Amino acid sequence: MSFVDQISKMFGTLPEFKFQATLFGKDALYIEGGKPIKLDPDEMVFKVNGGVLTALGAEMSVKELSGDCVAILGEIKSVAVDRL
């Protein structure tokens, strides 16, 4: 069973998942459902359905970018989502 399927069952009747962000410790971030707006080593910003996701850190770099998925490596200091 996929992670999203497991979480959907756990949370019950929540609205459809619009995007997904997974933080791996403080060294990696994986985002599904986001389009890059800004990709700087200390700030990366993505448009997600209904808002903007911002990752702040140091020496961040894009390891992989394909479709609406992105893998980021570096020192991740914070991840925030603001609604539009």
Side-chain angles (χ1 to χ4, degrees):
M1 181 181 298
S2 77
F3 174 74
V4 171
D5 288 340
Q6 289 177 5
I7 294 300
S8 294
K9 285 184 179 184
M10 182 185 304
F11 292 145
T13 57
L14 287 179
E16 176 185 348
F17 284 98
K18 299 182 185 332
F19 67 93
Q20 179 173 295
T22 306
L23 184 61
F24 296 90
K26 296 180 181 178
D27 303 314
L29 175 64
Y30 184 78
I31 301 167
E32 293 181 25
K35 299 289 182 188
I37 296 172
K38 180 180 182 181
L39 298 174
D40 288 345
D42 60 346
E43 180 182 35
M44 296 199 178
V45 181
F46 300 87
K47 178 162 181 15
V48 294
N49 193 345
V52 175
L53 183 146
T54 302
L56 299 177
E59 299 179 13
M60 294 187 300
S61 63
V62 174
K63 176 72 173 173
E64 184 175 326
L65 178 62
S66 61
D68 66 348
C69 298
V70 62
I72 300 167
L73 296 177
E75 182 183 350
I76 313 295
K77 295 180 180 179
S78 71
V79 177
V81 178
D82 294 313
R83 294 178 187 245
L84 292 176

Coordinates of all heavy atoms in Angstrom, one line a residue:
M1 N 0.8 -1.2 0.0 CA 0.0 0.0 0.0 C 0.9 1.2 0.0 O 1.9 1.3 0.7 CB -0.9 0.0 1.2 CG -1.8 1.2 1.3 SD -2.9 1.2 2.8 CE -3.8 -0.3 2.5
S2 N 0.5 2.2 -0.8 CA 1.3 3.4 -0.9 C 1.2 4.3 0.3 O 0.2 4.2 1.1 CB 0.9 4.3 -2.1 OG -0.3 4.9 -1.9
F3 N 2.1 5.2 0.5 CA 2.1 6.1 1.6 C 0.8 7.0 1.6 O 0.1 7.1 2.6 CB 3.3 7.0 1.6 CG 3.3 8.1 2.6 CD1 3.5 7.8 3.9 CD2 3.0 9.4 2.2 CE1 3.5 8.8 4.9 CE2 3.0 10.4 3.2 CZ 3.3 10.1 4.5
V4 N 0.4 7.5 0.4 CA -0.8 8.3 0.3 C -2.0 7.5 0.7 O -2.9 8.0 1.4 CB -0.9 9.0 -1.1 CG1 -2.2 9.6 -1.3 CG2 0.2 10.0 -1.3
D5 N -2.1 6.2 0.2 CA -3.2 5.4 0.6 C -3.3 5.2 2.1 O -4.4 5.2 2.7 CB -3.1 4.0 -0.1 CG -3.4 4.1 -1.6 OD1 -4.0 5.2 -2.1 OD2 -3.0 3.2 -2.4
Q6 N -2.2 4.9 2.7 CA -2.2 4.7 4.2 C -2.6 5.9 4.9 O -3.5 5.9 5.8 CB -0.8 4.3 4.6 CG -0.3 3.0 4.2 CD 1.1 2.6 4.6 OE1 1.7 3.4 5.3 NE2 1.6 1.5 4.2
I7 N -2.1 7.1 4.5 CA -2.5 8.4 5.2 C -4.0 8.7 4.9 O -4.7 9.1 5.8 CB -1.6 9.5 4.7 CG1 -0.2 9.3 5.2 CG2 -2.1 10.9 5.2 CD1 0.0 9.2 6.7
S8 N -4.5 8.4 3.7 CA -5.9 8.7 3.4 C -6.8 7.8 4.3 O -7.8 8.4 4.8 CB -6.2 8.3 2.0 OG -5.5 9.2 1.1
K9 N -6.4 6.6 4.6 CA -7.2 5.7 5.5 C -7.1 6.2 6.9 O -8.1 6.2 7.6 CB -6.8 4.3 5.4 CG -7.2 3.6 4.1 CD -6.8 2.2 4.1 CE -7.3 1.5 2.8 NZ -7.0 0.1 2.8
M10 N -6.0 6.7 7.3 CA -5.8 7.2 8.7 C -6.6 8.4 8.9 O -7.2 8.6 10.0 CB -4.3 7.5 8.9 CG -4.0 8.0 10.3 SD -2.3 8.4 10.6 CE -1.4 7.0 10.1
F11 N -6.6 9.4 8.0 CA -7.3 10.7 8.2 C -8.8 10.6 7.9 O -9.5 11.5 8.2 CB -6.6 11.8 7.4 CG -5.2 12.1 7.9 CD1 -4.2 12.5 7.0 CD2 -4.9 12.1 9.2 CE1 -3.0 12.8 7.5 CE2 -3.7 12.4 9.7 CZ -2.7 12.8 8.8
G12 N -9.2 9.6 7.2 CA -10.6 9.4 6.8 C -11.1 10.3 5.7 O -10.4 10.4 4.7
T13 N -12.1 11.1 5.9 CA -12.7 11.9 4.9 C -12.2 13.3 4.8 O -12.8 14.3 5.1 CB -14.3 12.0 5.1 OG1 -14.5 12.5 6.4 CG2 -14.9 10.6 5.0
L14 N -10.9 13.4 4.4 CA -10.3 14.7 4.1 C -10.5 15.0 2.6 O -10.7 14.1 1.8 CB -8.8 14.7 4.4 CG -8.5 14.6 5.9 CD1 -7.0 14.6 6.1 CD2 -9.0 15.9 6.6
P15 N -10.4 16.3 2.3 CA -10.4 16.6 0.8 C -9.3 15.9 0.1 O -8.3 15.5 0.7 CB -10.2 18.1 0.8 CG -10.5 18.6 2.2 CD -10.3 17.4 3.1
E16 N -9.4 15.9 -1.2 CA -8.3 15.3 -2.0 C -7.0 15.9 -1.7 O -6.9 17.1 -1.6 CB -8.7 15.5 -3.5 CG -7.7 15.0 -4.5 CD -8.1 15.3 -5.9 OE1 -9.3 15.8 -6.1 OE2 -7.3 15.2 -6.8
F17 N -5.9 15.1 -1.7 CA -4.6 15.6 -1.6 C -4.2 16.5 -2.8 O -4.4 16.0 -3.9 CB -3.6 14.5 -1.4 CG -3.6 13.8 -0.1 CD1 -4.2 12.7 0.1 CD2 -2.9 14.4 1.0 CE1 -4.2 12.1 1.4 CE2 -2.9 13.8 2.2 CZ -3.6 12.7 2.4
K18 N -3.8 17.7 -2.6 CA -3.5 18.6 -3.7 C -2.0 18.6 -4.0 O -1.6 18.9 -5.1 CB -4.0 20.0 -3.3 CG -5.5 20.0 -3.1 CD -6.0 21.4 -2.8 CE -7.4 21.6 -2.5 NZ -8.4 20.8 -3.0
F19 N -1.2 18.4 -3.0 CA 0.3 18.2 -3.2 C 0.8 17.5 -2.0 O 0.1 17.2 -1.0 CB 0.9 19.6 -3.3 CG 0.9 20.4 -2.1 CD1 2.0 20.3 -1.2 CD2 -0.2 21.2 -1.7 CE1 1.9 21.1 0.0 CE2 -0.2 21.9 -0.6 CZ 0.8 21.8 0.3
Q20 N 2.0 17.0 -2.2 CA 2.7 16.3 -1.1 C 4.1 16.8 -0.9 O 4.8 17.0 -1.9 CB 2.7 14.8 -1.5 CG 3.3 13.9 -0.4 CD 3.1 12.4 -0.8 OE1 2.0 12.0 -0.8 NE2 4.1 11.8 -1.2
A21 N 4.5 17.0 0.3 CA 5.9 17.4 0.6 C 6.4 16.4 1.7 O 5.8 16.3 2.7 CB 6.0 18.8 1.0
T22 N 7.6 15.8 1.4 CA 8.1 14.9 2.4 C 9.5 15.4 2.7 O 10.4 15.5 1.8 CB 8.2 13.5 1.8 OG1 6.9 13.1 1.4 CG2 8.7 12.5 2.9
L23 N 9.8 15.6 4.0 CA 11.1 16.1 4.5 C 11.8 14.9 5.0 O 11.3 14.1 5.9 CB 10.9 17.1 5.6 CG 12.1 17.8 6.2 CD1 12.9 18.5 5.1 CD2 11.7 18.8 7.3
F24 N 13.0 14.7 4.6 CA 13.9 13.6 5.0 C 14.9 14.1 5.9 O 16.0 14.7 5.5 CB 14.5 12.8 3.8 CG 13.5 12.2 3.0 CD1 12.9 12.8 1.9 CD2 13.1 10.9 3.2 CE1 12.0 12.2 1.1 CE2 12.1 10.3 2.4 CZ 11.6 10.9 1.3
G25 N 14.7 14.1 7.2 CA 15.6 14.7 8.2 C 15.7 16.2 7.9 O 14.7 16.9 7.7
K26 N 16.9 16.7 7.9 CA 17.2 18.1 7.5 C 18.0 18.3 6.2 O 18.4 19.4 5.9 CB 18.0 18.8 8.7 CG 17.2 18.9 10.0 CD 18.1 19.5 11.0 CE 17.3 19.5 12.3 NZ 18.1 20.1 13.4
D27 N 18.1 17.1 5.5 CA 19.0 17.1 4.3 C 18.4 17.0 3.0 O 19.0 17.1 2.0 CB 20.1 16.1 4.5 CG 20.9 16.2 5.8 OD1 21.3 17.4 6.1 OD2 21.0 15.2 6.5
A28 N 17.1 16.6 3.0 CA 16.4 16.4 1.7 C 14.9 16.7 1.8 O 14.3 16.5 2.8 CB 16.6 15.0 1.2
L29 N 14.3 17.1 0.7 CA 12.9 17.4 0.6 C 12.4 17.0 -0.8 O 13.1 17.2 -1.8 CB 12.7 19.0 0.7 CG 11.3 19.5 0.5 CD1 10.3 18.9 1.6 CD2 11.3 21.0 0.5
Y30 N 11.3 16.3 -0.8 CA 10.7 15.8 -2.0 C 9.3 16.4 -2.1 O 8.5 16.2 -1.2 CB 10.6 14.2 -2.0 CG 10.1 13.7 -3.3 CD1 10.9 13.6 -4.4 CD2 8.8 13.2 -3.4 CE1 10.5 13.1 -5.6 CE2 8.3 12.7 -4.6 CZ 9.2 12.7 -5.7 OH 8.7 12.2 -6.9
I31 N 9.0 17.0 -3.3 CA 7.7 17.6 -3.4 C 7.0 17.0 -4.7 O 7.7 17.0 -5.7 CB 7.9 19.2 -3.6 CG1 8.6 19.8 -2.4 CG2 6.5 19.8 -3.9 CD1 9.1 21.2 -2.7
E32 N 5.8 16.7 -4.5 CA 4.9 16.3 -5.7 C 3.8 17.3 -5.8 O 3.2 17.6 -4.8 CB 4.3 14.9 -5.4 CG 5.3 13.8 -5.4 CD 4.6 12.4 -5.2 OE1 3.4 12.2 -5.5 OE2 5.3 11.5 -4.7
G33 N 3.5 17.7 -7.0 CA 2.4 18.6 -7.3 C 2.8 20.1 -7.1 O 1.9 20.9 -6.9
G34 N 4.1 20.4 -7.3 CA 4.5 21.8 -7.2 C 5.2 22.2 -8.5 O 5.9 21.4 -9.1
K35 N 5.1 23.4 -8.9 CA 5.8 24.0 -10.0 C 6.8 25.1 -9.5 O 6.4 26.0 -8.7 CB 4.8 24.7 -11.0 CG 3.8 23.8 -11.6 CD 4.4 22.8 -12.6 CE 3.3 21.9 -13.2 NZ 3.9 20.9 -14.0
P36 N 8.0 25.0 -9.9 CA 9.0 25.9 -9.4 C 8.8 27.4 -9.8 O 8.4 27.6 -11.0 CB 10.3 25.4 -10.0 CG 10.0 24.3 -10.9 CD 8.6 24.0 -10.8
I37 N 8.9 28.3 -8.8 CA 8.8 29.7 -9.1 C 10.2 30.3 -8.9 O 10.7 31.1 -9.7 CB 7.8 30.4 -8.1 CG1 6.4 29.9 -8.3 CG2 7.9 31.9 -8.3 CD1 5.4 30.3 -7.3
K38 N 10.9 29.9 -7.9 CA 12.3 30.4 -7.6 C 13.1 29.2 -7.1 O 12.7 28.5 -6.2 CB 12.1 31.5 -6.5 CG 13.4 32.1 -6.1 CD 13.2 33.1 -5.0 CE 14.5 33.8 -4.5 NZ 14.3 34.8 -3.5
L39 N 14.3 29.1 -7.6 CA 15.2 28.0 -7.2 C 16.6 28.6 -6.9 O 17.5 28.5 -7.7 CB 15.4 27.0 -8.3 CG 14.1 26.2 -8.7 CD1 14.3 25.4 -10.0 CD2 13.5 25.4 -7.6
D40 N 16.7 29.2 -5.7 CA 18.0 29.7 -5.2 C 18.6 28.8 -4.1 O 17.8 28.1 -3.5 CB 17.8 31.1 -4.6 CG 17.5 32.2 -5.7 OD1 17.8 31.9 -6.9 OD2 17.1 33.3 -5.4
P41 N 19.9 28.8 -3.9 CA 20.5 27.9 -2.9 C 19.9 28.1 -1.5 O 20.0 27.2 -0.7 CB 21.9 28.2 -3.0 CG 22.2 28.8 -4.3 CD 20.9 29.5 -4.7
D42 N 19.4 29.3 -1.2 CA 18.9 29.6 0.2 C 17.4 29.7 0.3 O 16.8 29.8 1.3 CB 19.6 30.8 0.8 CG 19.3 32.1 -0.1 OD1 18.9 32.0 -1.2 OD2 19.6 33.2 0.4
E43 N 16.7 29.7 -0.9 CA 15.2 29.8 -0.9 C 14.7 29.2 -2.2 O 15.1 29.6 -3.3 CB 14.8 31.3 -0.8 CG 13.3 31.4 -0.8 CD 12.8 32.9 -0.8 OE1 13.5 33.7 -1.4 OE2 11.8 33.1 -0.1
M44 N 13.8 28.3 -2.0 CA 13.1 27.6 -3.2 C 11.6 27.8 -2.9 O 11.1 27.5 -1.9 CB 13.5 26.2 -3.3 CG 15.0 26.0 -3.6 SD 15.4 24.4 -4.3 CE 17.1 24.6 -4.6
V45 N 10.9 28.3 -4.0 CA 9.5 28.5 -3.9 C 8.8 27.8 -5.0 O 9.2 27.8 -6.2 CB 9.3 30.1 -4.0 CG1 7.8 30.4 -3.9 CG2 10.1 30.8 -3.0
F46 N 7.6 27.2 -4.6 CA 6.9 26.4 -5.6 C 5.4 26.7 -5.5 O 4.9 26.9 -4.4 CB 7.0 24.9 -5.3 CG 8.4 24.4 -5.3 CD1 9.2 24.5 -4.2 CD2 9.0 23.9 -6.5 CE1 10.6 24.1 -4.2 CE2 10.3 23.5 -6.5 CZ 11.1 23.6 -5.4
K47 N 4.7 26.8 -6.7 CA 3.3 27.0 -6.7 C 2.7 25.6 -6.5 O 3.0 24.7 -7.2 CB 2.9 27.6 -8.0 CG 1.3 27.8 -8.1 CD 0.9 28.7 -9.1 CE -0.6 29.0 -9.2 NZ -1.4 28.5 -8.2
V48 N 1.8 25.5 -5.5 CA 1.1 24.3 -5.3 C -0.4 24.6 -5.4 O -0.8 25.8 -5.3 CB 1.4 23.7 -3.9 CG1 2.9 23.2 -3.9 CG2 1.1 24.6 -2.8
N49 N -1.2 23.6 -5.5 CA -2.7 23.9 -5.7 C -3.2 24.6 -4.4 O -3.2 24.1 -3.3 CB -3.4 22.5 -5.9 CG -4.8 22.7 -6.3 OD1 -5.4 23.8 -6.2 ND2 -5.4 21.6 -6.7
G50 N -3.6 25.8 -4.6 CA -4.2 26.6 -3.5 C -3.2 27.4 -2.7 O -3.5 28.0 -1.7
G51 N -1.9 27.5 -3.1 CA -1.0 28.2 -2.3 C 0.5 28.2 -2.9 O 0.7 27.8 -4.0
V52 N 1.4 28.5 -2.0 CA 2.8 28.6 -2.3 C 3.6 27.9 -1.2 O 3.3 28.1 0.0 CB 3.3 30.1 -2.4 CG1 4.8 30.1 -2.6 CG2 2.6 30.8 -3.5
L53 N 4.5 27.0 -1.6 CA 5.3 26.3 -0.7 C 6.7 26.9 -0.8 O 7.2 27.0 -1.9 CB 5.4 24.8 -1.0 CG 6.2 23.9 -0.1 CD1 5.5 22.5 0.0 CD2 7.6 23.8 -0.5
T54 N 7.3 27.2 0.4 CA 8.6 27.9 0.4 C 9.5 27.0 1.3 O 9.2 26.7 2.4 CB 8.5 29.3 1.0 OG1 7.6 30.1 0.2 CG2 9.9 29.9 1.0
A55 N 10.7 26.7 0.8 CA 11.7 26.0 1.5 C 12.9 26.9 1.7 O 13.4 27.5 0.8 CB 12.2 24.7 0.8
L56 N 13.3 27.1 3.0 CA 14.4 28.0 3.3 C 15.5 27.1 3.8 O 15.3 26.1 4.5 CB 14.1 29.0 4.4 CG 13.0 30.0 4.0 CD1 12.7 30.9 5.2 CD2 13.3 30.8 2.8
G57 N 16.8 27.4 3.4 CA 17.9 26.6 3.8 C 19.2 27.2 3.4 O 19.3 28.4 3.2
A58 N 20.2 26.3 3.3 CA 21.5 26.7 2.8 C 22.1 25.6 1.9 O 21.9 24.5 2.1 CB 22.4 26.9 4.1
E59 N 22.7 26.1 0.9 CA 23.4 25.2 -0.1 C 22.4 24.2 -0.7 O 22.8 23.0 -0.9 CB 24.6 24.6 0.5 CG 25.7 25.5 0.9 CD 26.9 24.9 1.6 OE1 27.0 23.7 1.5 OE2 27.7 25.6 2.2
M60 N 21.2 24.6 -0.9 CA 20.2 23.7 -1.5 C 20.4 23.6 -3.0 O 20.7 24.6 -3.6 CB 18.7 24.2 -1.1 CG 18.4 24.1 0.3 SD 16.6 24.5 0.6 CE 16.5 26.2 0.0
S61 N 20.1 22.4 -3.5 CA 20.2 22.3 -5.0 C 19.2 21.3 -5.4 O 18.7 20.4 -4.6 CB 21.6 21.8 -5.4 OG 21.9 20.5 -4.8
V62 N 18.8 21.4 -6.6 CA 17.8 20.5 -7.2 C 18.5 19.2 -7.7 O 19.4 19.3 -8.5 CB 17.0 21.1 -8.3 CG1 16.1 20.1 -9.0 CG2 16.2 22.3 -7.8
K63 N 18.2 18.1 -7.1 CA 18.8 16.8 -7.5 C 18.0 16.3 -8.7 O 18.7 15.7 -9.6 CB 18.7 15.8 -6.3 CG 19.2 14.5 -6.6 CD 20.7 14.5 -6.7 CE 21.2 13.0 -6.9 NZ 22.6 12.9 -7.2
E64 N 16.7 16.4 -8.7 CA 15.9 15.9 -9.8 C 14.7 16.8 -10.0 O 14.0 17.1 -9.0 CB 15.5 14.5 -9.6 CG 14.8 13.9 -10.8 CD 14.5 12.4 -10.6 OE1 15.3 11.7 -10.0 OE2 13.4 11.9 -11.0
L65 N 14.3 17.1 -11.2 CA 13.1 17.9 -11.5 C 12.5 17.2 -12.7 O 13.1 17.2 -13.8 CB 13.5 19.3 -11.8 CG 12.4 20.3 -12.2 CD1 11.3 20.4 -11.1 CD2 12.9 21.6 -12.5
S66 N 11.3 16.7 -12.6 CA 10.6 16.1 -13.7 C 9.1 16.2 -13.5 O 8.5 15.9 -12.4 CB 10.9 14.6 -13.8 OG 10.6 13.9 -12.6
G67 N 8.4 16.7 -14.5 CA 7.0 16.9 -14.4 C 6.6 17.9 -13.2 O 7.2 19.0 -13.1
D68 N 5.8 17.4 -12.3 CA 5.5 18.2 -11.1 C 6.2 17.7 -9.8 O 5.7 17.9 -8.7 CB 4.0 18.3 -10.9 CG 3.3 17.0 -10.6 OD1 4.0 15.9 -10.7 OD2 2.2 17.0 -10.2
C69 N 7.3 16.9 -10.0 CA 8.0 16.4 -8.9 C 9.4 17.0 -8.8 O 10.0 17.2 -9.9 CB 8.1 14.9 -9.0 SG 6.6 14.0 -9.0
V70 N 9.9 17.3 -7.6 CA 11.2 17.8 -7.5 C 11.9 17.2 -6.2 O 11.2 17.0 -5.2 CB 11.2 19.4 -7.4 CG1 10.4 19.9 -6.2 CG2 12.6 19.9 -7.4
A71 N 13.2 16.9 -6.3 CA 13.9 16.4 -5.2 C 15.0 17.4 -4.9 O 15.8 17.8 -5.8 CB 14.6 15.0 -5.5
I72 N 15.1 17.9 -3.6 CA 16.0 18.9 -3.2 C 17.0 18.4 -2.2 O 16.5 17.7 -1.2 CB 15.2 20.1 -2.6 CG1 14.3 20.7 -3.6 CG2 16.2 21.2 -2.1 CD1 13.3 21.6 -3.0
L73 N 18.2 18.7 -2.3 CA 19.2 18.3 -1.3 C 19.9 19.6 -0.8 O 19.9 20.6 -1.4 CB 20.3 17.4 -2.0 CG 19.9 16.1 -2.5 CD1 21.1 15.4 -3.2 CD2 19.4 15.2 -1.4
G74 N 20.4 19.5 0.4 CA 21.0 20.6 1.1 C 20.5 20.7 2.5 O 19.8 19.9 3.0
E75 N 20.9 21.8 3.2 CA 20.5 22.0 4.6 C 19.1 22.7 4.5 O 19.0 23.9 4.2 CB 21.5 22.9 5.3 CG 21.1 23.1 6.8 CD 22.0 24.1 7.5 OE1 23.1 24.5 6.9 OE2 21.7 24.5 8.6
I76 N 18.0 21.9 4.9 CA 16.7 22.4 4.9 C 16.4 23.0 6.3 O 16.4 22.2 7.3 CB 15.7 21.3 4.6 CG1 16.1 20.5 3.3 CG2 14.3 21.9 4.4 CD1 16.1 21.2 2.0
K77 N 16.2 24.3 6.4 CA 15.9 24.9 7.7 C 14.4 25.1 8.0 O 14.0 25.0 9.1 CB 16.6 26.3 7.7 CG 18.1 26.2 7.7 CD 18.8 27.5 7.7 CE 20.3 27.4 7.6 NZ 20.9 28.7 7.6
S78 N 13.6 25.3 7.0 CA 12.2 25.4 7.2 C 11.4 25.1 5.9 O 11.9 25.4 4.8 CB 11.8 26.8 7.8 OG 11.9 27.8 6.8
V79 N 10.2 24.7 6.1 CA 9.2 24.5 5.0 C 7.9 25.1 5.4 O 7.4 24.8 6.5 CB 9.1 23.0 4.6 CG1 8.0 22.8 3.5 CG2 10.4 22.3 4.3
A80 N 7.3 25.9 4.6 CA 6.1 26.6 4.9 C 5.2 26.6 3.7 O 5.6 26.7 2.6 CB 6.3 28.0 5.4
V81 N 3.9 26.6 4.0 CA 2.9 26.7 2.9 C 2.0 27.8 3.3 O 1.4 27.9 4.4 CB 2.0 25.4 2.8 CG1 1.0 25.5 1.7 CG2 2.9 24.2 2.5
D82 N 1.8 28.8 2.3 CA 1.0 29.9 2.5 C -0.2 29.8 1.4 O 0.1 29.5 0.3 CB 1.7 31.2 2.2 CG 2.8 31.5 3.3 OD1 2.5 31.3 4.4 OD2 3.9 31.8 2.9
R83 N -1.4 30.0 1.9 CA -2.5 30.0 1.0 C -2.6 31.3 0.2 O -2.3 32.3 0.7 CB -3.8 29.8 1.7 CG -3.9 28.4 2.4 CD -5.2 28.3 3.2 NE -5.1 27.1 3.9 CZ -6.0 26.1 3.7 NH1 -6.9 26.1 2.8 NH2 -5.9 25.0 4.5
L84 N -3.1 31.1 -1.0 CA -3.2 32.3 -1.9 C -4.6 33.0 -1.6 O -5.5 32.4 -1.2 CB -3.2 31.9 -3.4 CG -1.8 31.5 -3.8 CD1 -1.9 31.0 -5.3 CD2 -0.8 32.6 -3.7

